[in-house]
Amino acid sequence: MTEAARPPYIGQPLRRREDFKLVTGKGRYVDDIKLPGMLHLAILRSPHAHAIIRHVDLTAAQASPGVHLALSGTDLAGKLGSIVPNWILPGTKVPDRPVVAIDRVRFVGECVALVVADTQAQAYDAIGLIDVDYEALPAVVDEDAAIRDGAPQLHDNVPGNITTVFKVKGGDYQKAVKSADQVIQLRIINNRLIPTCMETRSIIADPGADGTLTVYIPSQVPHMHRRWIAETVGLSEHMLRVIAPDIGGGFGAKMHLYPEELLCPYLARELGVPVKWWESRSESHQSTSHGRAHIETIEAAIRNDGTILGMKVETLGNVGAYLSNMASGGPTVNTINYGTGTYKIANYEAISRVVVTNTVPVDAYRGYGRPEGAYIAERTIDAVARHLKLDQVEVRRRNFIQAADFPYRPYASMGVIFDSGNYEGCLTKALDAFDYGARSSERDALRTQGRYRGIGVAAYTHMCGMAPSRRLAMSGFNRGGWESARIAVDSSGRATIFSGSMSQGHGHVTSFAQIAADVLQIPIDHIDVVQGDTRQVQAGHGTFNSRSMSVGGSSVHVSSHRIVTKAKKIAAGMLEVDEKDVAYEGGQFSVPGTDIAPLSFGKVARMAYVGHKLPDGLEPGLDETVFYDPTGMGAPSGIHMAYVEVDPETGIVEILDYVAVDDVGTLINPLLAAGQIHGGVVQGIGQALYEGVNYDPDNGQLMTGSLLDYAVPRAEYVPNIRSSFQITPSPTNPIGVKGIGESGSIAAPPTMVHAVLDALAPFGINHLDMPMTPPRIWAAIQTARSGARP
């Protein structure tokens, strides 16, 4: 098929080009890298949630076989900078976080001392010989307990354990209350989660003879890691090369700055040899950032027909012992800004308090704040429907933002604008696919037979692809909103994309090539993609907040057009015609209406490099770089529905069906898009039914310290997820795409909770918090059967 005859690559469900390497075991991860003379780092972590460090005795560890170095926090004081958050909301009180604790520990798992040895086993053996004298202090792990009078105080500069207070207001909530028929209240918990990547974190730092340093790290944000490591270790950025090879999952957890990522570079430079650290699974549970951990108190002023006149929300966001990279922005900007969801609720006021506790720091985890925001809106809608005994679908319809309202600023917000959408359209598609009427009748009929099935519905929207740069500065976000792409066409006409985005299984090699191939009009197999190497890739912000297609993909699109624009000039010189007379179609440059023989893209590319016949003033080469800074953010949306059955004798939930209709704008690759939805939904199911971090409230010990105690969904628990799409292009970028990576994990938790609660409705159970495990459900049923209030 010629380029002229083929359909556009965008929109085709192409299989991922990168999969063959991965499924044949040829992927290369950090732990696969073995360097000559490489030493191994092990970390001694605090067994106490809160304690004074009286003394650290390294004598025995230093004398242990194979040990090159043993250090405490005191030894490193003044040699490494502190870990500084990358998003600091104005007014935030930032507690100091040394890389290794010096005189006080504030969570179980905090770094206390380290050993570098010839082998990993020797390093761990020596760690066991370090003697630390602690004075244990009272600890607090719950956010509501942490802000009470008399609670243990974690940091001198954070009175009351509150780092940040953030408020949002639109309309007049009190006026809405006066106009309402009723006011309902609910309190919900967004359970703390542990990002469970198949590949745990690891890092290798390799010093060069010329003073340079190469760092191998599974980073979602390689250029950001280069900046942070350089600033904290004391290196010039140009002396530091960060390479991110294949990554076994990130979900936000691999976009932060951790102590180990500073220790390896520092130690490698000190010792003059490569130093490696690898994280065990149990170590991951107590050192890699956690997710969610919110409590929300909600009021809704409603009419008896289900119309919501106003909402009032109070959020407590538990961010652990220190502010991690983006911690002040998650429970605040990212959460309560979206508390009204897809609904037209004019009167809204919300306040969020960011709270420190003696727990692992909490930061971004697939959606960061958006799942929490959607949960506020959807649990409110569900509560209104239950309270008024109205159909949950009709209550949503009654309050939806309408298609004609876009672009829409909820509650007249100055910070939130939904660019486009058609919620009613998504709902109609979902209801049809789900067969809502028949399912409802079946559910009702089965209840008379003692079988408890339930239907869950949830809608969502949010803004993603954090941008533009100027706007991010206003909220204290110390990064830009742009993304870069360089497209280099060689003298044979093949193209290489150098992108600042970073795939962790997303399929960028395929989707970026689809975008470029349509503009360049060359076969997709003639396009390669390079990511994850700060020496090869010019600059970038990496992949998070569902920004890779809307920002990174747009930069590929724009730079591809610049390539074509220059190639047209070259072709005009070769054809000896005016540039405006040259057309480019099907990979051929031609002069329509003449018998001049067309030129192929490859011939023009060759001329670009030999330079024999270029228009006056035009430089040789065919190589364009774009730093694309969007004018706004896209707002994906969708409707998810689930059908479940609850066994009242065991509390086990069986998921019978799951339907997802998502609007993510232009679909670059429907197959990869469906894969993103599937993955996100599974993580959302995990949050709703299985996953939850538990701490002992008396001493701050992590009770879910391994996968023996922390459940994640197994394949057998996941249904056949039926995914489809509605396309409402975004006006905020040239390809009309919106983000998709976080949609599933945002929509699935409320969908699953509503389905289970619907199944439990005959027992009079109106609310349960996540995770809705069999013991929790069973206990609620027993309570209800006993006649006590659930």
Side-chain angles (χ1 to χ4, degrees):
M1 182 181 293
T2 66
E3 284 301 298
R6 70 161 177 80
Y9 284 111
I10 289 181
Q12 289 191 43
L14 302 184
R15 292 187 176 183
R16 299 200 308 184
R17 304 165 74 198
E18 51 269 66
D19 278 354
F20 181 78
K21 177 185 74 170
L22 299 175
V23 300
T24 56
K26 295 177 181 174
R28 185 171 182 259
Y29 301 85
V30 171
D31 197 40
D32 296 323
I33 299 171
K34 316 294 181 188
L35 300 178
M38 186 167 70
L39 302 180
H40 296 265
L41 167 68
I43 307 283
L44 178 67
R45 300 185 183 278
S46 171
H48 296 283
H50 200 187
I52 300 292
I53 301 173
R54 290 183 178 277
H55 180 66
V56 180
D57 186 350
L58 302 167
T59 307
Q62 289 167 333
S64 185
V67 170
H68 291 251
L69 200 62
L71 298 172
S72 68
T74 302
D75 299 321
L76 292 166
K79 298 175 181 176
L80 286 170
S82 296
I83 297 176
V84 179
N86 202 236
W87 189 358
I88 303 175
L89 225 60
T92 293
K93 299 176 179 66
V94 181
D96 181 61
R97 183 183 185 184
V99 177
V100 177
I102 297 172
D103 55 4
R104 187 171 170 185
V105 290
R106 293 177 174 86
F107 67 95
V108 172
E110 186 167 2
C111 301
V112 174
L114 63 90
V115 167
V116 181
D118 288 329
T119 68
Q120 188 183 58
Q122 288 173 330
Y124 277 110
D125 285 346
I127 282 293
L129 300 175
I130 297 175
D131 184 21
V132 183
D133 182 13
Y134 294 101
E135 177 188 343
L137 299 172
V140 61
V141 298
D142 296 324
E143 50 270 35
D144 53 353
I147 62 172
R148 293 176 193 153
D149 291 341
Q153 299 296 295
L154 271 72
H155 304 277
D156 293 341
N157 68 328
V158 186
N161 294 323
I162 298 174
T163 69
T164 313
V165 177
F166 179 75
K167 297 179 181 178
V168 170
K169 186 174 182 181
D172 187 336
Y173 175 70
Q174 293 306 322
K175 186 177 179 181
V177 170
K178 292 176 183 174
S179 303
D181 295 322
Q182 304 184 52
V183 175
I184 65 168
Q185 298 177 329
L186 63 157
R187 181 180 186 271
I188 56 177
I189 295 176
N190 218 294
N191 41 326
R192 177 184 281 247
L193 304 175
I194 293 175
T196 309
C197 303
M198 292 184 72
E199 177 202 25
T200 55
R201 290 188 298 120
S202 56
I203 180 171
I204 298 172
D206 181 20
D210 57 356
T212 60
L213 189 71
T214 301
V215 171
Y216 302 89
I217 180 174
S219 170
Q220 298 177 224
V221 290
H223 288 86
M224 290 295 94
H225 265 112
R226 183 179 69 167
R227 187 179 106 189
W228 300 332
I229 293 171
E231 288 174 347
T232 314
V233 175
L235 268 174
S236 297
E237 282 193 41
H238 76 282
M239 300 289 283
L240 180 60
R241 179 185 186 184
V242 171
I243 298 175
D246 291 318
I247 300 176
F251 313 119
K254 291 177 181 172
M255 60 175 284
H256 312 310
L257 182 62
Y258 296 95
E260 301 83 3
E261 294 160 2
L262 299 167
L263 291 172
C264 282
Y266 170 79
L267 295 166
R269 295 183 76 210
E270 286 293 300
L271 295 168
V273 294
V275 175
K276 176 181 180 179
W277 174 78
W278 171 83
E279 182 186 56
S280 68
R281 182 62 66 184
S282 58
E283 199 172 19
S284 177
H285 281 216
Q286 59 180 259
S287 62
T288 294
S289 62
H290 291 177
R292 314 287 191 256
H294 279 211
I295 295 175
E296 266 89 23
T297 305
I298 304 168
E299 273 187 16
I302 61 176
R303 287 186 178 142
N304 288 336
D305 65 358
T307 302
I308 300 177
L309 300 179
M311 283 180 64
K312 181 179 179 182
V313 175
E314 293 186 9
T315 285
L316 294 178
N318 186 337
V319 293
Y322 302 96
L323 287 177
S324 182
N325 265 36
M326 299 171 66
S328 69
T332 53
V333 174
N334 282 5
T335 297
I336 61 174
N337 270 351
Y338 303 102
T340 56
T342 57
Y343 307 105
K344 206 168 185 174
I345 301 170
N347 304 296
Y348 177 63
E349 63 179 57
I351 181 170
S352 175
R353 296 178 176 84
V354 179
V355 183
V356 289
T357 63
N358 295 111
T359 59
V360 173
V362 176
D363 208 318
Y365 176 57
R366 203 162 190 172
Y368 198 31
R370 276 75 168 193
E372 296 91 321
Y375 201 62
I376 292 170
E378 286 305 305
R379 291 296 296 117
T380 301
I381 286 285
D382 187 75
V384 170
R386 289 178 193 283
H387 180 75
L388 297 174
K389 301 188 187 317
L390 298 174
D391 182 89
Q392 56 182 322
V393 170
E394 293 309 314
V395 174
R396 285 179 172 81
R397 276 192 165 129
R398 186 175 300 280
N399 290 283
F400 265 160
I401 300 164
Q402 300 301 306
D405 294 330
F406 293 99
Y408 182 77
R409 292 185 180 275
Y411 51 90
S413 169
M414 295 302 293
V416 180
I417 181 168
F418 300 143
D419 62 337
S420 63
N422 181 355
Y423 307 150
E424 181 65 39
C426 278
L427 179 62
T428 300
K429 281 190 174 184
L431 292 172
D432 290 345
F434 192 80
D435 201 356
Y436 183 65
R439 282 270 168 76
S440 298
S441 299
E442 181 182 68
R443 172 200 60 190
D444 295 342
L446 288 172
R447 282 179 181 172
T448 63
Q449 304 169 24
R451 295 178 64 181
Y452 300 97
R453 291 191 175 183
I455 296 171
V457 183
Y460 76 90
T461 189
H462 64 111
M463 294 167 64
C464 62
M466 294 182 76
S469 299
R470 289 183 178 182
R471 180 178 171 184
L472 298 184
M474 295 168 61
S475 64
F477 196 62
N478 189 18
R479 303 182 207 174
W482 51 265
E483 191 51 87
S484 80
R486 173 191 169 207
I487 296 187
V489 179
D490 66 21
S491 64
S492 73
R494 291 185 63 95
T496 302
I497 300 169
F498 298 87
S499 170
S501 299
M502 182 63 215
S503 179
Q504 309 122 56
H506 302 76
H508 291 177
V509 171
T510 306
S511 49
F512 283 166
Q514 288 180 262
I515 294 170
D518 276 352
V519 180
L520 298 176
Q521 301 179 39
I522 62 177
I524 195 170
D525 292 339
H526 290 190
I527 299 173
D528 297 311
V529 177
V530 174
Q531 295 182 294
D533 185 339
T534 60
R535 182 168 294 176
Q536 293 192 70
V537 177
Q538 56 290 336
H541 282 106
T543 291
F544 60 96
N545 190 225
S546 300
R547 71 190 302 273
S548 290
M549 285 305 109
S550 58
V551 190
S554 292
S555 67
V556 170
H557 179 86
V558 174
S559 56
S560 299
H561 273 288
R562 289 189 183 177
I563 289 286
V564 171
T565 299
K566 184 173 182 181
K568 273 189 174 180
K569 296 179 188 292
I570 297 171
M574 296 172 70
L575 296 168
E576 298 182 340
V577 299
D578 194 280
E579 177 192 341
K580 68 177 184 301
D581 295 326
V582 177
Y584 184 53
E585 188 173 354
Q588 300 283 325
F589 295 91
S590 64
V591 184
T594 73
D595 58 359
I596 299 174
L599 295 171
S600 69
F601 185 81
K603 284 186 177 179
V604 173
R606 179 61 55 88
M607 182 57 69
Y609 285 94
V610 297
H612 293 168
K613 201 172 182 179
L614 297 181
D616 291 343
L618 191 67
E619 293 180 352
L622 202 49
D623 192 323
E624 296 287 342
T625 300
V626 166
F627 284 64
Y628 174 77
D629 201 344
T631 57
M633 299 165 67
S637 58
I639 300 287
H640 287 209
M641 300 184 70
Y643 193 40
V644 306
E645 180 162 349
V646 175
D647 183 339
E649 304 308 318
T650 64
I652 291 175
V653 176
E654 182 182 3
I655 308 172
L656 303 172
D657 194 14
Y658 195 102
V659 168
V661 178
D662 295 275
D663 185 344
V664 295
T666 302
L667 281 176
I668 306 299
N669 184 320
L671 187 63
L672 300 191
Q676 289 274 7
I677 293 297
H678 285 200
V681 166
V682 173
Q683 284 183 295
I685 289 173
Q687 176 173 12
L689 299 184
Y690 307 110
E691 301 183 44
V693 177
N694 291 320
Y695 278 96
D696 187 324
D698 295 327
N699 55 31
Q701 291 298 315
L702 178 62
M703 307 298 286
T704 47
S706 76
L707 291 179
L708 291 173
D709 314 299
Y710 185 87
V712 295
R714 297 181 180 181
E716 65 191 276
Y717 300 158
V718 178
N720 176 32
I721 298 166
R722 297 193 284 144
S723 171
S724 61
F725 297 94
Q726 171 179 279
I727 298 176
T728 310
S730 171
T732 64
N733 61 76
I735 46 181
V737 68
K738 304 173 183 177
I740 191 173
E742 294 154 320
S743 295
S745 60
I746 293 172
T751 302
M752 293 305 306
V753 168
H754 296 165
V756 173
L757 290 178
D758 188 42
L760 298 177
F763 297 98
I765 299 171
N766 290 319
H767 175 73
L768 284 177
D769 281 314
M770 300 183 291
M772 302 174 99
T773 59
R776 180 169 284 176
I777 291 172
W778 182 86
I781 293 173
Q782 302 314 306
T783 301
R785 281 175 166 168
S786 70
R789 187 175 180 179

